[in-house]
Amino acid sequence: MNSLNNILQLKGPEQATLKKPPAHHFFDSTIISPVLQMHKDSKEVKKVTENTSAGTSDLLAGFVNLATALRAPAPIPAPHPYPLIPQNNAITTSLSLLPVNRTIGPSLDLEGFCLQFGVDISVYQKLSNEGYKTSHHLQYDTVSELKEAGFRIGEIASLKDAVARWSLPSD
């Protein structure tokens, strides 16, 4: 009950306002709260940084311009030792049997290719019926063309796997 009376005594004409701090022995108006002190310190640091960074950025920009002007021209890349086969567009490249980061392997007859890389006999027969003669012919084939020729998804996957193992990493 005494604490309630103490609280009630704070109300009335003796209450604290923004202009009149509380008259309490724990309250010291000369001490700044740690949060307020950190806020003031960060503002000061920001002012100092802004003042020094303007001059520093101008100096750095000058060095970058000078370095760019003095830099030697970029070397011209050497021509590729053998001509690369141009791809028509990104869609054809992504749907091609030959992976994008690989180039054609050794030329093998179709039967030898299928035997060496484990292509099923039914896939070999379909390829042969479509007129394929060598492994190099497969680099021009796309998944959509194989689908049109009646190849099943699993057959296409097995053929893509065989072509990936047959092909060589490009430089």
Side-chain angles (χ1 to χ4, degrees):
M1 192 70 161
N2 276 341
S3 61
L4 182 60
N5 285 334
N6 290 338
I7 293 173
L8 291 175
Q9 288 176 357
L10 293 176
K11 294 196 177 222
E14 297 296 320
Q15 70 183 11
T17 65
L18 290 176
K19 296 187 186 221
K20 180 182 171 205
H24 192 275
H25 69 278
F26 286 127
F27 183 80
D28 185 1
S29 62
T30 60
I31 298 175
I32 298 176
S33 77
V35 174
L36 182 59
Q37 186 64 44
M38 286 175 41
H39 179 69
K40 285 183 175 183
D41 292 345
S42 69
K43 277 184 147 182
E44 287 297 319
V45 169
K46 188 175 181 183
K47 283 181 185 177
V48 170
T49 306
E50 286 175 355
N51 290 341
T52 59
S53 67
T56 306
S57 64
D58 292 341
L59 184 62
L60 289 176
F63 279 125
V64 169
N65 290 339
L66 180 63
T68 304
L70 296 176
R71 188 176 60 199
I76 299 172
H80 207 276
Y82 52 90
L84 295 175
I85 300 168
Q87 297 292 336
N88 291 340
N89 56 34
I91 296 171
T92 305
T93 303
S94 66
L95 297 177
S96 174
L97 285 180
L98 187 64
V100 175
N101 59 348
R102 302 191 58 89
T103 186
I104 57 175
S107 182
L108 302 169
D109 66 295
L110 188 61
E111 186 177 6
F113 171 82
C114 291
L115 288 173
Q116 185 173 347
F117 294 101
V119 177
D120 194 43
I121 189 73
S122 64
V123 175
Y124 163 72
Q125 289 171 345
K126 286 182 179 180
L127 289 171
S128 182
N129 289 344
E130 290 296 321
Y132 291 92
K133 302 290 182 206
T134 70
S135 57
H136 280 191
H137 295 161
L138 297 173
Q139 69 179 313
Y140 302 108
D141 212 354
T142 63
V143 172
S144 58
E145 291 170 341
L146 291 173
K147 284 181 180 178
E148 286 177 22
F151 283 81
R152 298 169 48 154
I153 294 172
E155 293 171 333
I156 294 170
S158 107
L159 196 53
K160 284 184 83 164
D161 176 60
V163 169
R165 287 184 286 130
W166 161 77
S167 63
L168 304 170
S170 56
D171 294 330

